[in-house]
Amino acid sequence: MHLGFSSMNTPSDPQPDLLAKTLEDAGFESLWYGEHSHIPMCRSTPYPPGGDLPEPYKYMMDPYVSLTLAASSTKTLKLGTGIALMLERDIFSQAKTMATLDCLSNGRLLIGTGVGWNQEEFENVSHLPWKQRYTGMKETVAATKALFTDEAPEYHGTQIDFDPVWFEPKPHQAGGPPVIFGAMGPMGVKHAAMWADGWMPVDVVMPDIAQSLKEFKEQVKAYGRDPDAVEITLVVMSPLSEDLLKRYRDLGVHRCNIGVGMENWDKPEIILPMIERFSKLIPEL
């Protein structure tokens, strides 16, 4: 099992190049940055975990710019968006950014994505209907993959539609970077099983993780796909321990993404000691 590290990516966090080099030297497989281009001041959508929106959400930097800086100081560390809001960007500009980063990093980009939870944020920037966002995501990913792979890409869906275009350069990775879908509800899990290269659930949301993973693999198989080819990236928000990570390894999780936890998002001084502590477990995972 691989170990990844997730960060809120605010100006108060360690610089991406420093953090990335530290992670690579410590044996971590990947670095993950999330995305919120803005946070509406007037918001009726509740924060999913409950309570007030944590302050660091307001200061998140651009994940692709930060990951490019991270790539410049590393050679093997994978670079993940965790998660990118693909529905909230222009599809061509976004695909160009992804392809460029994948080229500049020699094929190290992982695209973690989701439909998002903030309806007001979504509606500020997207013409797609909020209630059809899962269909919008499926089409956006399919259209982006066409841009990444086809000589004369075109796409004609119900929400995404364009005639043949020139789109170069292609990503370094053949077929483009893998798309890992972060979703937990029945509709999101269905879509992850149907078309995603990987699934990115959160451990604390699943009352029975072993059963949830088993049911997901059964859904993947029901869609005629190989469950072993769909990687599981588990976002770990439970209290971290050696035993917990080993349990997830034994359940067949491909990658665990750890971080300092929501209660410590505004305490960057604990990040480097945490990396040092858990790096010692990597050989056993």
Side-chain angles (χ1 to χ4, degrees), residues 211-244:
Q211 184 63 25
S212 295
L213 296 180
K214 178 183 177 182
E215 291 174 355
F216 175 74
K217 292 180 179 180
E218 290 173 351
Q219 284 198 59
V220 173
K221 189 174 181 180
Y223 282 109
R225 307 176 67 205
D226 179 5
D228 293 333
V230 182
E231 295 183 350
I232 306 295
T233 297
L234 189 62
V235 178
V236 182
M237 300 187 74
S238 299
L240 279 167
S241 68
E242 178 179 355
D243 289 343
L244 179 73

Side-chain angles (χ1 to χ4, degrees), residues 153-199:
E154 61 182 298
Y155 189 84
H156 304 285
T158 60
Q159 298 185 26
I160 306 295
D161 183 53
F162 57 85
D163 291 326
V165 299
W166 281 295
F167 182 87
E168 301 292 343
K170 303 300 186 189
H172 182 87
Q173 298 179 71
V179 177
I180 304 166
F181 195 38
M184 294 297 296
M187 182 63 71
V189 174
K190 173 184 174 181
H191 276 265
M194 186 190 311
W195 54 258
D197 300 312
W199 181 39

Side-chain angles (χ1 to χ4, degrees), residues 18-243:
L18 170 62
L19 179 58
K21 186 66 166 60
T22 302
L23 289 168
E24 184 172 86
D25 291 346
F28 279 71
E29 180 243 12
S30 49
L31 168 63
W32 299 74
Y33 284 144
E35 177 177 33
H36 283 282
S37 62
H38 68 287
I39 298 293
M41 291 185 177
C42 295
R43 181 172 56 82
S44 60
T45 305
Y47 178 54
D52 294 333
L53 184 76
E55 195 70 11
Y57 268 99
K58 302 174 185 177
Y59 297 93
M60 292 174 70
M61 298 189 290
D62 182 275
Y64 300 103
V65 175
S66 294
L67 289 173
T68 300
L69 184 58
S72 72
S73 66
T74 54
K75 296 181 184 293
T76 61
L77 188 76
K78 293 188 177 181
L79 312 161
T81 58
I83 60 173
L85 300 175
M86 290 181 68
L87 297 180
E88 298 184 17
R89 289 185 181 236
D90 169 77
I91 188 168
F92 297 107
S93 176
Q94 177 171 249
K96 181 71 73 172
T97 296
M98 292 173 172
T100 300
L101 176 52
D102 199 59
C103 286
L104 294 176
S105 66
N106 293 318
R108 290 190 275 148
L109 179 60
L110 302 171
I111 304 172
T113 189
V115 298
W117 57 267
N118 191 326
Q119 183 173 351
E120 291 75 25
E121 176 185 350
F122 178 93
E123 292 175 344
N124 278 346
V125 295
S126 177
H127 69 280
L128 302 178
W130 171 252
K131 291 185 178 180
Q132 296 179 36
R133 59 196 183 278
Y134 285 101
T135 299
M137 176 60 75
K138 179 183 177 182
E139 292 190 3
T140 296
V141 170
T144 300
K145 289 197 173 220
L147 293 170
F148 287 164
T149 57
D150 297 349
E151 184 177 348
E154 61 182 298
Y155 189 84
H156 304 285
T158 60
Q159 298 185 26
I160 306 295
D161 183 53
F162 57 85
D163 291 326
V165 299
W166 281 295
F167 182 87
E168 301 292 343
K170 303 300 186 189
H172 182 87
Q173 298 179 71
V179 177
I180 304 166
F181 195 38
M184 294 297 296
M187 182 63 71
V189 174
K190 173 184 174 181
H191 276 265
M194 186 190 311
W195 54 258
D197 300 312
W199 181 39
M200 188 187 297
V202 179
D203 66 346
V204 295
V205 181
M206 296 185 286
D208 187 334
I209 294 178
Q211 184 63 25
S212 295
L213 296 180
K214 178 183 177 182
E215 291 174 355
F216 175 74
K217 292 180 179 180
E218 290 173 351
Q219 284 198 59
V220 173
K221 189 174 181 180
Y223 282 109
R225 307 176 67 205
D226 179 5
D228 293 333
V230 182
E231 295 183 350
I232 306 295
T233 297
L234 189 62
V235 178
V236 182
M237 300 187 74
S238 299
L240 279 167
S241 68
E242 178 179 355
D243 289 343

Side-chain angles (χ1 to χ4, degrees), residues 1 213 217 231-232 247-255:
M1 184 181 77
L213 296 180
K217 292 180 179 180
E231 295 183 350
I232 306 295
R247 175 173 176 251
Y248 292 160
R249 176 202 62 193
D250 294 342
L251 287 175
V253 172
H254 178 81
R255 174 187 300 110

